[in-house]
């Protein structure tokens, strides 16, 4: 297969491959999806061959994203994504809890979205600062 990309497009592909592999494998320990690691390794080896040696390094016989690549800002994008997902899930879970986990249909969908929006507004302004746990139940 042949794929033609500009240098800038290839650099974006490296970012996407790294982010995708991070999401798939970062929490899996030894039970990684190795085929995704292999694709990432192929792409970063290609980066080295195409004049971007600072983006790749060798580790245990494999080509991996370099420390310079990993510390170059890509994790800020991952953290932003993770924070957004965290707050979205938390807002929906709390809204559903407030509604006694009632099945959602046309009759209560607007209430659910209103509650979600209220929680999102709270998290946007205060993060988790106002979340309290009843310590009597710990």
């Amino acid at each position: 297969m042949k794929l033609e990309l500009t240098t800038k497009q290839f650099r974006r592909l490296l970012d996407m491959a790294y982010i995708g592999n991070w999401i798939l494998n970062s929490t899996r320990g030894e039970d990684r999806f190795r085929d995704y690691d292999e694709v990432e390794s192929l792409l970063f080896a290609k980066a080295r061959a195409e004049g971007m040696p600072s983006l790749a390094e060798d580790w245990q016989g494999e080509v991996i994203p370099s420390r310079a690549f990993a510390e170059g800002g890509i994790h800020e994008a991952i953290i932003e994504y993770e924070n957004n997902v965290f707050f979205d899930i938390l807002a929906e879970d709390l809204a559903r809890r407030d509604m006694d986990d009632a099945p959602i249909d046309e009759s209560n969908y607007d209430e659910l979205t209103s509650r979600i929006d209220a929680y999102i507004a709270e998290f946007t302004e205060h993060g988790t600062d106002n979340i309290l746990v009843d310590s009597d139940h710990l």
Side-chain angles (χ1 to χ4, degrees):
M1 176 182 289
K2 184 175 181 176
L3 178 65
E4 297 204 21
L5 301 170
T6 67
T7 301
K8 184 177 181 178
Q9 289 169 330
F10 182 67
R11 182 64 178 81
R12 298 297 178 256
L13 180 62
L14 293 173
D15 290 346
M16 292 186 323
Y18 182 86
I19 290 168
N21 199 27
W22 176 267
I23 289 170
L24 287 168
N25 278 323
S26 67
T27 61
R28 298 188 61 83
E30 293 299 315
D31 190 29
R32 295 178 66 86
F33 295 112
R34 298 285 177 206
D35 50 341
Y36 288 91
D37 287 334
E38 291 170 13
V39 170
E40 181 184 72
S41 183
L42 286 170
L43 288 171
F44 279 86
K46 182 71 170 170
R48 180 186 287 161
E50 293 296 323
M52 297 177 252
S54 66
L55 301 181
E57 61 187 49
D58 294 313
W59 184 73
Q60 295 185 348
E62 292 183 42
V63 179
I64 63 168
S66 68
R67 179 172 292 227
F69 175 86
E71 294 176 355
I74 197 71
H75 279 278
E76 283 79 10
I78 293 169
I79 289 167
E80 184 176 339
Y81 167 79
E82 289 173 341
N83 283 338
N84 287 333
V85 169
F86 168 76
F87 285 119
D88 286 349
I89 291 170
L90 181 59
E92 184 171 345
D93 284 352
L94 292 171
R96 287 177 180 273
R97 178 210 58 192
D98 294 349
M99 296 172 64
D100 298 322
D101 290 314
I104 304 303
D105 58 28
E106 290 179 15
S107 69
N108 60 3
Y109 180 78
D110 288 341
E111 179 184 356
L112 175 67
T113 58
S114 177
R115 288 175 183 269
I116 290 171
D117 290 345
Y119 278 114
I120 293 293
E122 170 64 25
F123 300 147
T124 298
E125 188 165 342
H126 301 286
T128 57
D129 291 347
N130 293 331
I131 295 177
L132 303 173
V133 174
D134 184 355
S135 60
D136 292 337
H137 292 97
L138 294 178

